[in-house]
Amino acid sequence: MVLKVIPVGLLSVNCSILVDEEGGNALIVDPGADLEKILRELQPFKPCGIIATHGHIDHIGQVRALKELFDIPFYVHSKDKFLLNNTLWPGFERQIGASLPCPEPDMELKDGMEIVLGEEKLRVIHTPGHTPGSCCLYWEKGKVLIAGDLLFKGSVGRWDLPGGDLEALKGSIKRIFSELGGDTLVVCGHYEETTLEEEKASNPFIRTFLD
Ligand SMILES: [Zn+2]
Ligand SMILES: [Zn+2]
């Protein structure tokens, strides 16, 4: 499996494309904006599914267009369905390049669920806090965590938006750090990637949460 991370839109959301080179299929995670760029990066592979780490519109802004083009299933956790067409601020969707309405999910992400791509698997870890249905995707073989907006290099996801919950966020962070190795590469929802050990050593939020 090959992972490509493409920053999209005004908010630099990291859209991940996971490719099974042998089978020629690709999973798209968090296609928030920049449809043309995503389509270019997909070449020559055939998309087989769309996963949203959570329901914020900067992460789901091109789900509708991709579904219309390829007729593939869209996965999100049921607890984030209420966010899929919540613009948060008037006009926000236009600013960030989202094209709403977002369709209803075809499949609901659940904790412990495994999503198969070719010979490999992604494990769904439900990590509420930033939103109630936030999920991480763990690619065990590659030791990569696609973390959505759970944590960032030097920071964590905000918990003051609808459905956000600081206690839940702390619990999710504790779980990730106790279940996964320090050398896990973290693809964050925005900006640079990091590792769990790097954040444990230098991220003030993580240090407080894990205390
Ligand atoms: Zn978010
Ligand atoms: Zn985000």
Side-chain angles (χ1 to χ4, degrees):
M1 189 149 78
V2 174
L3 168 66
K4 293 197 214 182
V5 180
I6 318 155
V8 296
L10 188 69
L11 299 176
S12 254
V13 167
N14 287 320
C15 171
S16 297
I17 297 182
L18 293 140
V19 173
D20 163 32
E21 287 180 302
E22 260 169 50
N25 294 314
L27 278 170
I28 309 162
V29 182
D30 287 353
D34 292 344
L35 180 66
E36 296 301 319
K37 191 172 177 183
I38 296 171
L39 294 177
R40 260 198 320 275
E41 296 288 341
L42 274 168
Q43 293 295 336
F45 303 102
K46 190 170 145 312
C48 59
I50 307 162
I51 305 171
T53 56
H54 63 294
H56 281 156
I57 63 167
D58 52 330
H59 295 253
I60 56 92
Q62 294 304 323
V63 169
R64 181 167 61 94
L66 288 166
K67 270 194 72 85
E68 282 171 5
L69 283 169
F70 302 109
D71 192 24
I72 48 177
F74 165 45
Y75 300 70
V76 70
H77 194 283
S78 61
K79 288 193 170 165
D80 267 18
K81 281 202 262 184
F82 79 104
L83 288 169
L84 295 174
N85 286 292
N86 181 338
T87 57
L88 299 175
W89 299 278
F92 187 48
E93 75 278 18
R94 281 190 301 282
Q95 279 177 354
I96 61 166
S99 69
L100 298 179
C102 180
E104 284 285 300
D106 304 286
M107 297 273 278
E108 288 170 2
L109 295 178
K110 288 197 164 65
D111 189 64
M113 177 178 177
E114 291 186 325
I115 298 171
V116 177
L117 182 68
E119 307 268 279
E120 296 187 51
K121 286 179 211 151
L122 288 175
R123 177 154 54 91
V124 176
I125 308 175
H126 179 214
T127 49
H130 174 63
T131 65
S134 282
C135 289
C136 293
L137 302 168
Y138 183 53
W139 172 26
E140 190 160 12
K141 218 165 171 187
K143 282 206 152 189
V144 177
L145 184 75
I146 298 175
D149 291 356
L150 174 69
L151 77 156
F152 302 108
K153 192 181 175 79
S155 187
V156 295
R158 53 191 291 184
W159 57 84
D160 59 328
L161 295 171
D165 180 334
L166 177 58
E167 287 311 309
L169 186 75
K170 284 183 188 169
S172 296
I173 297 263
K174 280 188 181 153
R175 181 179 171 196
I176 289 296
F177 278 82
S178 72
E179 287 185 10
L180 306 181
D183 56 346
T184 303
L185 179 77
V186 183
V187 175
C188 307
H190 304 255
Y191 317 116
E192 286 165 87
E193 58 193 36
T194 184
T195 63
L196 290 182
E197 62 202 353
E198 200 179 319
E199 293 316 296
K200 197 173 187 174
S202 63
N203 182 326
F205 292 93
I206 304 292
R207 291 172 70 156
T208 317
F209 289 3
L210 296 182
D211 240 5

